[in-house]
Amino acid sequence: MGDVVPTGKSGRSGSAKVSKAVAELPRQVREELSRRLRRNKGAFRSGDVQVVEGPLLRRAVGASALGNCMEWFDFGVYSYLAATLGKVFFPGASPGAQVISSFATFAAAFVVRPLGGLVFGPLGDRLGRQKVLATTMIMMAAGTFAIGLIPSYGSIGIAAPILLLIARMVQGFSTGGEYGGATTFVAEYSPDRRRGFLSSWLDFGTFVGYALGSALVTLLNLALTDDQMLAWGWRLPFLIAGPLGVIGLYMRLKLEESPAFQQQLDDHEKTLAQESAGGEFKTIVTRHWRPLLICMGLVLLYNVSNYMVTGFLPTYQTETLHRSSGTADVLVLLGMVWIVLLITFIGRYSDRVGRRPIYGFSAAAMIVLAVPAFQLIKMDGFWPPLSGVLILSTLLACFAAPSAATLPALFPTAVRYAAMGIGFNIAVAAFGGTTPLVTEALVNITGDDLMPAYYLMLAGVIGLVTVRFLPETAQVPLNGSQPMVGSREEQQELITTSKELYRVSAERSGDGDSPASATT
């Protein structure tokens, strides 16, 4: 059983002693397992611990990450082509108005995201995560592909921007069910000890997609003339979405339903999972309002910084700082590559130190570093602006890495997809997708090119307040799900540990102390 570590007050009769395995459990894990063991009235048995086989896990993570990759390929393309799309679809406006109009169309997709979450979320809780994720993949690919086929304003007049708006709204509606469903799916497949690392691959796909989209646009800008880009070059990145969507759909149709969802169909959560959409919405708002607000606060923190870097920085550099599009594109692209390199390491680290320290430290750092980062971005040359971009990208990686593991853990299995759809998409619609539009407008109104930094500082303050109420969920089993492990050996280890923990809990309870309070 390993080394034995005494706990409790010295000299007390019946003082509990714990093995090294129990003593080294993180506090939040020990408390949650103790609660489950008391409710179980005994140690775990093999049927109480879910084992996820490696091939299934890798397929689930890969298919989910591919969907995010495709979604953000589109966002990367749209952000980098904002000025070009403004000229194609809003040719009669001034250059500043063209950019704002393009960003307004970009933001319009986020207006319908909560509606997509309200529709797809309850469906995902009732019909299954896999079916809904396949549907969102089809819609997303179709909306992106359609943009590449829309005639210009010069060809069909006002119908062109209207069609662009419709295509963007189809994208937004499907995305309303995409990220919440993908994070739920991956979190429910991941072993508890590695959920941060495995879930971080979802946002790895996000930034790979963005980097691929931005790299493609950068290459097109270098290879084609401005007239060629306006005439037909801008269409190519959107048309690539068709083949990508077919590949993604094939992968998602090959997936099995998540273990947590399969499990709930056989237990007491079944009736809750089968409530009507309206009933589920009422349940989430009335019973889970606190985690819903925490979810929205973390999403605000993540997505304001996200869309500031990915959606606003390329246009900020060209339109406000009058930097060449090639230099601006390369700077942000290097920032995306840096995030891709960092994100899974930060996800793994969050499994060790917890999610709260990473969120809290990064939010505080953003308050302190936002202005210096933008001052560096404004400087001449290449290396100072790159340093500023890398500072913001590092902070963004720290927000992105733990998000896919943290947000689903706030809610029980029966309402997880719907709650994620509501909380995530409302926050993104209100604060994330509007970030490029709002910050561009603030810069134009005030003439202060540091307004984006102040906006980031405000998001950092909100993030710090949110972290104050965030429960630590690193290595903790998901609410409403069995403990998850990655092998039979880990299953047996957890069963053995639960026997020791249950014994210690019983002894501590006998001494009049809370079982969960056993400490090293």
Side-chain angles (χ1 to χ4, degrees):
M1 188 153 46
D3 298 333
V4 175
V5 182
T7 66
K9 299 177 181 178
S10 59
R12 291 186 63 170
S13 61
S15 175
K17 295 183 178 181
V18 299
S19 68
K20 185 177 180 180
V22 172
E24 290 181 347
L25 286 174
R27 178 181 177 182
Q28 71 273 10
V29 178
R30 189 167 58 242
E31 291 178 349
E32 176 61 23
L33 292 182
S34 294
R35 280 193 291 268
R36 293 185 180 219
L37 293 171
R38 287 198 304 272
R39 191 167 62 240
N40 209 36
K41 297 182 179 179
F44 293 138
R45 293 164 293 183
S46 59
D48 298 322
V49 181
Q50 179 79 42
V51 180
V52 183
E53 301 297 336
L56 282 177
L57 178 59
R58 287 190 292 272
R59 198 184 310 156
V61 173
S64 300
L66 180 62
N68 262 29
C69 180
M70 180 183 156
E71 174 189 352
W72 278 86
F73 175 86
D74 163 57
F75 282 124
V77 167
Y78 198 99
S79 298
Y80 271 69
L81 288 174
T84 301
L85 292 175
K87 295 174 184 177
V88 172
F89 291 100
F90 309 97
S94 66
Q98 286 177 350
V99 174
I100 291 178
S101 298
S102 183
F103 277 142
T105 307
F106 178 83
F110 293 85
V111 175
V112 298
R113 280 184 69 153
L115 181 59
L118 286 172
V119 172
F120 288 122
L123 287 176
D125 285 329
R126 293 198 304 278
L127 303 180
R129 285 64 162 123
Q130 183 263 354
K131 295 182 180 66
V132 174
L133 285 174
T135 302
T136 60
M137 174 65 75
I138 296 172
M139 292 185 65
M140 194 186 316
T144 305
F145 187 76
I147 292 178
L149 299 177
I150 298 174
S152 67
Y153 186 94
S155 298
I156 60 173
I158 192 64
I162 292 175
L163 290 174
L164 176 64
L165 179 63
I166 293 172
R168 287 291 299 159
M169 293 180 77
V170 170
Q171 290 177 320
F173 187 80
S174 64
T175 304
E178 171 63 30
Y179 187 81
T183 54
T184 294
F185 193 76
V186 173
E188 291 179 347
Y189 252 107
S190 300
D192 299 330
R193 293 179 182 177
R194 304 173 63 211
R195 185 169 294 116
F197 170 66
L198 291 169
S199 296
S200 68
W201 285 97
L202 194 65
D203 287 280
F204 175 90
T206 291
F207 291 102
V208 166
Y210 188 91
L212 289 175
S214 58
L216 179 57
V217 174
T218 301
L219 289 175
L220 288 173
N221 280 328
L222 293 174
L224 303 177
T225 65
D226 289 343
D227 289 341
Q228 288 173 325
M229 281 295 293
L230 284 173
W232 53 269
W234 65 270
R235 299 182 184 276
L236 298 179
F238 294 106
L239 296 177
I240 291 175
L244 284 179
V246 173
I247 296 171
L249 178 63
Y250 173 78
M251 291 184 65
R252 288 194 170 178
L253 289 175
K254 301 289 284 185
L255 290 174
E256 294 183 15
E257 196 49 82
S258 75
F261 181 79
Q262 290 177 343
Q263 175 196 337
Q264 80 161 7
L265 296 181
D266 298 322
D267 64 22
H268 66 280
E269 290 186 326
K270 182 176 181 180
T271 54
L272 181 57
Q274 292 179 335
E275 288 181 356
S276 66
E280 189 170 11
F281 177 80
K282 180 179 179 181
T283 297
I284 292 168
V285 172
T286 57
R287 298 184 189 177
H288 305 287
W289 60 270
R290 185 183 295 273
L292 193 64
L293 290 178
I294 294 172
C295 174
M296 293 173 66
L298 294 180
V299 172
L300 182 152
L301 176 67
Y302 171 18
N303 279 276
V304 166
S305 56
N306 188 7
Y307 289 102
M308 186 70 74
V309 174
T310 61
F312 180 70
L313 268 189
T315 304
Y316 174 76
Q317 293 183 79
T318 57
E319 300 301 315
T320 302
L321 304 183
H322 306 293
R323 191 167 286 154
S324 70
S325 60
T327 301
D329 291 350
V330 169
L331 286 171
V332 178
L333 177 58
L334 289 174
M336 295 302 100
V337 173
W338 179 240
I339 293 173
V340 168
L341 294 175
L342 283 180
I343 195 164
T344 58
F345 291 99
I346 298 173
R348 186 191 297 273
Y349 191 59
S350 76
D351 284 326
R352 293 178 52 194
V353 303
R355 326 289 191 220
R356 295 183 78 243
I358 291 178
Y359 275 120
F361 176 81
S362 305
M366 189 159 74
I367 296 172
V368 174
L369 296 176
V371 169
F374 267 89
Q375 287 175 330
L376 286 169
I377 291 170
K378 289 169 54 182
M379 293 175 66
D380 294 331
F382 182 79
W383 296 109
L386 177 61
S387 299
V389 170
L390 292 181
I391 289 172
L392 296 181
S393 298
T394 301
L395 295 174
L396 174 53
C398 291
F399 300 140
S403 288
T406 304
L407 301 178
L410 294 170
F411 307 101
T413 303
V415 297
R416 185 171 293 130
Y417 199 147
M420 279 290 297
I422 294 168
F424 184 88
N425 289 301
I426 288 178
V428 171
F431 306 104
T434 59
T435 293
L437 175 63
V438 171
T439 47
E440 177 71 18
L442 287 173
V443 169
N444 286 332
I445 292 172
T446 65
D448 186 349
D449 52 17
L450 284 178
M451 287 304 296
Y454 305 145
Y455 202 75
L456 287 178
M457 292 173 68
L458 177 61
V461 171
I462 295 173
L464 272 183
V465 174
T466 303
V467 172
R468 167 68 179 79
F469 300 97
L470 174 66
E472 183 56 75
T473 59
Q475 301 188 40
V476 176
L478 290 175
N479 187 359
S481 302
Q482 292 177 327
M484 301 277 288
V485 297
S487 67
R488 297 292 174 185
E489 291 77 12
E490 287 185 14
Q491 182 190 47
Q492 189 56 50
E493 178 186 339
L494 181 56
I495 291 172
T496 301
T497 301
S498 73
K499 293 176 182 178
E500 180 69 11
L501 184 57
Y502 183 70
R503 180 187 65 79
V504 173
S505 297
E507 291 184 19
R508 299 292 292 173
S509 296
D511 286 342
D513 293 325
S514 168
S517 65
T519 56
T520 58

